[in-house]
């Protein structure tokens, strides 16, 4: 994909449904009794992997594109899959589904693509083993492929070293099947979509500070769910609208859950002109239309408890920081090294190749804004968020920016390039 400088971006877009929420509709829909009807489901490759896995475990899922219908069979309704569960590129499917598999009365094998086979799974293997499941990494490297031998589980109170919603959700979903109440405490609060949706389906979850506690054996009932637009997908247009001169973009119906809205808080602190309109609620998830106008930005320091609320937006924020006056410091973000690619390394290398003043640190990066960016040939490393972040950088660079392996945007945002083109004037 080739990108050139944009003189302005104007118009209105609706980004696809939230990836995290879409995954959870399939998982909870499968464990609920009765029919769940999902509107706005993300038709990205990751969420289709989740549909595929639960289909293999006997759940009837009809994907009519604008609506997905899941015929749930209740907490104990999954059946042994005929073959390996393949999560593709989806870490969320791999980790959260493992929590459910840990409690099943059958053995499963779970695998994924080359990226998934390098991502750490020890973080869910440890707590699920403590609960009583037997999980082994087939190549003995704490990565997929995994053998999961489900067992009757006992409740635990787990103190997670990382603020990870995937880890928290795996344990909470395993806790639905455990004897006693299961709790997870994390260093900072991570996204809470599992907790919100579990309650919406009839489960009992209580959150106090950074601890979430689930009661076992709920009667979950199928629901109507409307998935809001994904703020992680909106982030590319928020950044683009702020940095491309003379721009004004309205992004309709985006999820602004406070555990996901760090990008908005950071942009506003940097001086970004962002207004939230039509605030609303979709099955317990807050939503709004986001109006973005080009702005003069100033660098800031980003670290601590805000990091989990913008973890997937850091590549886009690194591009934004190149156009802010002064220094932006991103710290406490070592988790980026174990995402779909090593996003710290890739952002630093790619932005350096474009002429930015950027330095890697152990857990983040330091960017001195203001240097003009030049076009470059950049590989996405098959990481959707890298492809989209650098497509935005290309709108502000001299010459042509070429994104190699740019098709990986199908993971979370199949119509990304078309939506971007529709705003370019
Ligand atoms: C997700 C949680 C985050 C995020 C990922 C989706 C989820 O990962 O990066 O894209 O849906 O729970 P971690 O939980 O590993 O931080």
């Amino acid at each position: 994909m080739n990108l050139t400088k944009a003189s302005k971006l104007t118009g209105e877009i609706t980004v696809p449904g939230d990836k995290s929420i879409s995954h959870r509709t399939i998982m909870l829909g499968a464990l609920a009794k009765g029919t769940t009807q999902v509107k706005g489901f993300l038709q990205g490759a990751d969420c289709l992997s989740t549909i595929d896995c639960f289909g293999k475990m006997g759940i009837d899922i009809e994907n009519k594109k604008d609506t997905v219908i899941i015929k749930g069979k209740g907490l104990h309704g999954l059946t042994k899959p005929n073959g390996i569960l393949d999560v593709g590129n989806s870490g969320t499917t791999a980790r959260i589904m493992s929590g459910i598999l840990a409690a099943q009365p059958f053995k499963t094998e779970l695998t994924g693509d080359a990226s998934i086979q390098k991502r750490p799974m020890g973080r869910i293997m440890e707590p699920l083993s403590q609960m009583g499941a037997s999980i082994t990494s087939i190549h003995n490297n704490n990565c997929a492929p995994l053998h999961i031998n489900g067992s009757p589980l006992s409740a635990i109170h787990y103190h997670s070293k990382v603020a990870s919603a995937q880890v928290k959700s795996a344990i909470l979903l395993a806790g639905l099947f455990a004897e006693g109440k299961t709790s997870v405490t994390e260093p900072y609060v991570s996204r809470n979509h599992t907790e919100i949706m579990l309650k919406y389906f009839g489960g009992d979850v209580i959150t106090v500070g950074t601890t979430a506690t689930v009661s076992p054996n709920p009667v979950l009932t199928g629901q109507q769910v409307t998935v809001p637009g994904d703020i992680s997908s909106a982030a590319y247009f928020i950044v683009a609208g702020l940095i491309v001169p003379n721009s004004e973009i309205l992004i309709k119906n985006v999820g602004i859950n406070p555990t996901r809205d760090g990008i908005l808080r950071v942009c506003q602190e940097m001086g970004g002109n962002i207004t939230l309109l039509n605030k609303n609620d979709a099955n317990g998830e807050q939503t709004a239309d986001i109006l973005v106008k080009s702005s003069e930005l100033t660098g800031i320091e980003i670290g601590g408890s805000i990091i989990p609320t913008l973890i997937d937006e850091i590549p886009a924020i690194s591009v934004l920081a190149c156009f802010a006056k002064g220094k932006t410091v991103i710290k406490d973000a070592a988790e980026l090294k174990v995402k779909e690619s090593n996003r710290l390394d890739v952002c630093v290398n790619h932005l350096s190749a474009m002429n930015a003043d950027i330095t890697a640190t152990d857990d983040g990066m330091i960017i001195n804004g203001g240097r003009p960016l030049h076009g470059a040939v950049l590989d996405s490393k098959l990481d959707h968020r890298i492809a989209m972040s650098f497509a935005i950088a290309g709108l502000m660079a001299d010459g042509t920016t070429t994104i190699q392996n740019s098709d990986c945007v199908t993971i979370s945002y199949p119509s990304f390039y078309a939506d971007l083109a529709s705003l370019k004037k």
Side-chain angles (χ1 to χ4, degrees):
M1 176 62 60
N2 289 329
L3 285 305
T4 53
K5 210 162 201 163
S7 54
K8 66 173 175 175
L9 299 173
T10 52
E12 197 178 292
I13 51 164
T14 303
V15 294
D18 187 276
K19 183 154 80 70
S20 296
I21 296 175
S22 295
H23 283 298
R24 287 156 171 82
T25 62
I26 301 300
M27 299 190 195
L28 294 188
L31 298 180
K33 278 218 164 92
T35 301
T36 289
Q37 206 178 48
V38 187
K39 293 217 178 300
F41 185 87
L42 170 62
Q43 299 289 335
D46 271 9
C47 298
L48 299 180
S49 295
T50 299
I51 290 186
D52 181 62
C53 289
F54 281 83
K56 283 195 177 130
M57 289 190 280
I59 301 299
D60 178 3
I61 304 171
E62 195 185 346
N63 187 355
K64 298 202 281 188
K65 307 295 173 197
D66 57 332
T67 311
V68 174
I69 296 165
I70 307 143
K71 304 260 171 66
K73 289 191 177 169
L75 217 47
H76 302 284
L78 298 179
T79 50
K80 184 172 167 59
N82 233 336
I84 298 173
L85 296 174
D86 187 345
V87 304
N89 190 244
S90 177
T92 307
T93 314
R95 298 207 180 100
I96 304 186
M97 186 172 66
S98 293
I100 298 172
L101 298 177
Q104 299 309 309
F106 50 78
K107 196 169 170 177
T108 42
E109 182 173 336
L110 177 159
T111 194
D113 69 6
S115 152
I116 277 292
Q117 294 193 30
K118 285 195 230 129
R119 296 184 66 187
M121 294 297 283
R123 53 182 60 195
I124 53 108
M125 291 167 68
E126 183 188 284
L128 296 175
S129 303
Q130 282 178 20
M131 293 178 83
S134 152
I135 308 187
T136 45
S137 157
I138 293 174
H139 302 311
N140 213 11
N141 59 359
N142 280 339
C143 297
L146 302 177
H147 273 147
I148 304 182
N149 206 348
S151 314
L153 302 179
S154 335
I156 55 170
H157 185 162
Y158 191 70
H159 291 265
S160 177
K161 287 195 267 307
V162 284
S164 162
Q166 295 178 356
V167 171
K168 175 175 62 176
S169 302
I171 299 168
L172 293 178
L173 293 188
L176 298 177
F177 301 89
E179 183 95 34
K181 289 192 180 190
T182 296
S183 298
V184 187
T185 300
E186 38 184 6
Y188 299 117
V189 177
S190 64
R191 64 191 68 190
N192 62 359
H193 306 300
T194 301
E195 296 90 306
I196 290 175
M197 203 182 292
L198 255 176
K199 279 191 231 166
Y200 186 65
F201 276 72
D204 176 25
V205 193
I206 293 171
T207 304
V208 179
T210 60
T211 301
T213 303
V214 71
S215 299
N217 227 3
V219 178
L220 303 177
T221 311
Q223 299 293 334
Q224 309 267 345
V225 183
T226 302
V227 181
D230 196 325
I231 193 166
S232 298
S233 297
Y236 306 106
F237 299 109
I238 294 172
V239 168
L242 292 176
I243 64 179
V244 175
N246 310 310
S247 295
E248 182 166 331
I249 306 174
L250 182 66
I251 315 166
K252 304 271 284 179
N253 186 37
V254 181
I256 54 158
N257 177 323
T259 64
R260 292 285 299 283
D261 72 347
I263 175 80
L264 300 176
R265 287 183 273 145
V266 158
C267 290
Q268 281 166 337
E269 195 185 331
M270 291 174 89
N273 186 340
I274 294 178
T275 317
L276 301 185
L277 305 164
N278 294 324
K279 286 195 183 173
N280 216 323
D281 174 283
N283 25 267
E285 295 282 355
Q286 297 173 41
T287 64
D289 297 341
I290 303 177
L291 180 65
V292 187
K293 296 182 185 173
S294 342
S295 304
E296 298 269 312
L297 303 168
T298 310
I300 58 166
E301 188 169 307
I302 304 166
S305 62
I306 201 168
I307 292 293
T309 73
L310 48 68
I311 190 73
D312 292 338
E313 289 67 78
I314 292 177
I317 291 171
S318 71
V319 172
L320 180 75
C322 294
F323 299 93
K325 218 181 338 150
K327 192 200 280 192
T328 294
V329 178
I330 300 173
K331 59 179 195 176
D332 306 319
E335 270 295 297
L336 285 201
K337 296 179 186 172
V338 292
K339 294 293 180 187
E340 286 84 328
S341 68
N342 180 336
R343 289 182 179 158
L344 284 186
D345 273 6
V346 178
C347 287
V348 171
N349 292 340
H350 283 9
L351 284 172
S352 299
M354 297 182 88
N355 188 48
D357 178 351
I358 180 166
T359 315
T361 61
D362 278 353
D363 64 351
M365 52 190 124
I366 299 172
I367 300 154
N368 288 302
R371 279 229 306 245
L373 295 193
H374 304 324
V377 177
L378 307 168
D379 196 291
S380 71
K381 308 285 178 191
L382 298 174
D383 181 337
H384 53 133
R385 305 217 181 275
I386 295 297
M388 292 187 273
S389 299
F390 284 88
I392 299 303
L395 301 176
M396 288 294 286
D398 295 330
T400 303
T401 298
T402 303
I403 313 285
Q404 294 173 323
N405 292 309
S406 57
D407 284 354
C408 59
V409 300
T410 52
I411 292 292
S412 64
Y413 197 162
S415 61
F416 173 75
Y417 299 113
D419 286 358
L420 182 57
S422 77
L423 297 172
K424 215 169 160 183
K425 301 287 154 53

